[in-house]
């Protein structure tokens, strides 16, 4: 399962007590991938406008739950 899919599953869980320790591992993986430049938190379109990558944003916000 991809990191994007794992984040989607964790975000979909309304009860934060049920996401368990897997959330910490997923967040660490996300942050490591961001720091290594493997994924980006925003992309620029052909006009030069930036937009957030939704699943990455959800993963970052998951860290604050």
């Amino acid at each position: 399962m991809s990191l994007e899919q794992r984040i989607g599953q964790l975000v979909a869980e309304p009860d934060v007590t049920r996401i368990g320790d897997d959330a910490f591992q997923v967040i660490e993986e996300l942050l490591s991938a961001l720091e290594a430049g493997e994924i980006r938190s925003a992309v620029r379109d052909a006009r030069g406008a930036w937009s957030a990558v939704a699943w990455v944003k959800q993963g970052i916000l998951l860290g604050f739950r």
Side-chain angles (χ1 to χ4, degrees):
M1 182 180 315
S2 72
L3 181 58
E4 179 178 359
Q5 292 169 325
R6 290 167 48 210
I7 288 171
Q9 284 183 334
L10 291 169
V11 169
E13 177 57 59
D15 184 0
V16 75
T17 62
R18 295 186 61 185
I19 60 176
D21 292 334
D22 186 46
F24 294 111
Q25 183 179 11
V26 169
I27 292 165
E28 279 295 319
E29 191 175 328
L30 174 69
L31 294 176
S32 293
L34 282 166
E35 289 175 3
E38 297 168 359
I39 59 175
R40 298 193 53 131
S41 59
V43 293
R44 188 169 32 184
D45 65 18
R47 296 173 301 155
W50 288 91
S51 61
V53 177
W55 71 270
V56 175
K57 179 180 175 180
Q58 289 176 331
I60 293 168
L61 293 174
L62 181 64
F64 293 98
R65 284 177 71 187

